Amino acid sequence: MKKLLRITFLLFMAGIILAACSNDKQETEASGKEYEPATIRLAYNLPADHHISQGVEEFVKKIEEKSDGQIDMQVFANGQLLTDKDMNQSLLTGGVEMGMNSSTIWASTVPAMGIFDVPYAFETYEEAGEALNGELGNVLRSEMKDVGVKVLMFADYGFGQFANNKHPLESPEDFKGLKIRSVGALPSEFIQAYGASPVFMGGGEVYMGLQRKTVDGATSGTTAMVQRNYDEVTDYLTVNNYVYFEFILGVNKDFWDELPEKTQNLIEETANETEEWIRHQTKLEDERTLQELKDRGMEVYEVPEEDIPLWKEASMPVWESFKNEAGDVGEELLDMVDGE
């Protein structure tokens, strides 16, 4: 009888151990389950050698590698599929699942995004990064979500400067009478506040416009000026860091909500890593390309820090326009960037 009881006890314990092992195995298999197949089309318009483009391509590569190819990222770079003007509508309607576009163009749909076009709202790279990682970034994500887009990353383009082929721009008064390429409503108001005339023109048209004297100057980051050879068609560069250009990588929210949680986590983690890399590169690229433009022979005027308040004061009508356009949210964002 004792022997029988011992055997029964051992069998019972063996059963418990086997059941535990089975549960562990099932949990391991569940956690290691393959990603569900998915195809994601991603479009953007920046040149291939831009640091944001390099970040996006690495983002795509990591997602495909980490998912063992189950997530098929189909990339349409440099305007192959959509122009920047068509990008947002396509993303909102599901024509593409993901799209990278400038905050300036998003501002026509989400007025709060115009905060990046408010002159002198951000003074340093670090200040912009802290704002985007904090409450300002949360507000903007919420505003984008309301129109049907989930923000995956804020991609820092860098500070905006002015190039022209007429004369050095050493004060706001020097803009008077010039025709300056513009890309949006607030940038146009800013150009007008300095006494110049804005001319709407796509990024790919600027070189020809400067060459043919359709415009006298243009505003952009020095990275784009190098890549698009502004030094060949303009002589003067003014560095005043008047605006911090931002690009947004968004995903159609309806599509996002249908993705498995495992896939969502992978994409978000990879996007966060990419955002940090791009932010680190932005300052390095601005410094490198500014020096390259100098080396190529452009005459560069860097506005002294003590003069910036005068430039800012002349641009205050744009602050009021943004507040009127974006309402209470706009006023909240201005308070954040103005330290109130």
Side-chain angles (χ1 to χ4, degrees), residues 19-239:
C21 291
S22 177
N23 288 338
D24 288 344
K25 182 178 179 181
Q26 289 175 2
E27 291 177 4
T28 300
E29 288 177 348
S31 64
K33 183 181 178 182
E34 289 186 351
Y35 288 89
E36 291 185 18
T39 299
I40 301 176
R41 292 164 296 177
L42 189 163
Y44 68 93
N45 294 289
L46 294 168
D49 53 351
H50 195 277
H51 69 277
I52 290 181
S53 301
Q54 294 169 356
V56 170
E57 293 296 334
E58 187 65 19
F59 165 78
V60 167
K61 180 181 177 182
K62 285 182 178 179
I63 289 175
E64 290 188 329
E65 288 179 349
K66 291 179 180 179
S67 68
D68 293 326
Q70 292 297 101
I71 302 175
D72 179 21
M73 300 291 293
Q74 298 182 359
V75 181
F76 300 91
N78 206 15
Q80 293 173 347
L81 183 63
L82 296 164
T83 66
D84 50 7
K85 296 177 182 178
D86 297 330
M87 180 78 70
N88 295 352
Q89 186 61 27
S90 184
L91 183 59
L92 291 168
T93 58
V96 290
E97 289 74 39
M98 284 186 192
M100 173 80 79
N101 212 357
S102 74
S103 57
T104 299
I105 296 177
W106 270 116
S108 62
T109 305
V110 181
M113 279 295 176
I115 187 63
F116 298 106
D117 293 321
V118 173
Y120 312 101
F122 302 98
E123 296 181 0
T124 66
Y125 301 90
E126 294 75 19
E127 181 183 307
E130 289 174 6
L132 288 168
N133 288 333
E135 186 58 27
L136 183 140
N138 292 336
V139 171
L140 294 177
R141 290 184 185 91
S142 177
E143 292 292 303
M144 290 288 284
K145 182 179 178 182
D146 287 345
V147 300
V149 174
K150 175 180 172 59
V151 174
L152 290 174
M153 78 170 82
F154 291 102
D156 297 2
Y157 189 96
F159 279 107
Q161 321 298 353
F162 282 97
N164 86 98
N165 53 27
K166 288 291 187 179
H167 53 249
L169 303 177
E170 299 181 356
S171 71
E173 288 75 19
D174 293 329
F175 284 74
K176 290 180 180 178
L178 298 182
K179 294 177 292 182
I180 306 290
R181 176 254 182 163
S182 179
V183 293
L186 286 178
S188 293
E189 288 199 36
F190 174 62
I191 290 168
Q192 289 174 319
Y194 280 2
S197 300
V199 179
F200 285 92
M201 190 175 289
E205 304 171 289
V206 178
Y207 183 95
M208 191 69 71
L210 289 165
Q211 188 178 53
R212 295 180 175 178
K213 313 298 183 184
T214 305
V215 290
D216 303 308
T219 175
S220 189
T222 54
T223 52
M225 291 181 183
V226 165
Q227 290 156 351
R228 291 176 171 151
N229 298 311
Y230 276 29
D231 59 288
E232 296 178 357
V233 286
T234 59
D235 298 317
Y236 308 100
L237 174 64
T238 294
V239 177

Side-chain angles (χ1 to χ4, degrees), residues 321-339:
S321 292
F322 172 70
K323 188 186 299 184
N324 294 334
E325 184 69 22
D328 291 342
V329 174
E331 190 164 359
E332 178 185 0
L333 294 173
L334 287 177
D335 287 344
M336 291 178 188
V337 299
D338 210 26

Side-chain angles (χ1 to χ4, degrees), residues 214-276:
T214 305
V215 290
D216 303 308
T219 175
S220 189
T222 54
T223 52
M225 291 181 183
V226 165
Q227 290 156 351
R228 291 176 171 151
N229 298 311
Y230 276 29
D231 59 288
E232 296 178 357
V233 286
T234 59
D235 298 317
Y236 308 100
L237 174 64
T238 294
V239 177
N240 60 348
N241 288 359
Y242 81 95
V243 73
Y244 196 70
F245 292 122
E246 197 70 36
F247 274 65
I248 315 298
L249 178 62
V251 57
N252 178 279
K253 189 173 181 302
D254 289 337
F255 173 79
W256 176 261
D257 290 342
E258 294 297 320
L259 289 175
E261 183 178 358
K262 185 181 177 75
T263 299
Q264 291 179 344
N265 290 339
L266 171 62
I267 293 173
E268 285 191 303
E269 289 169 4
T270 308
N272 289 339
E273 293 171 3
T274 305
E275 181 177 282
E276 290 182 13

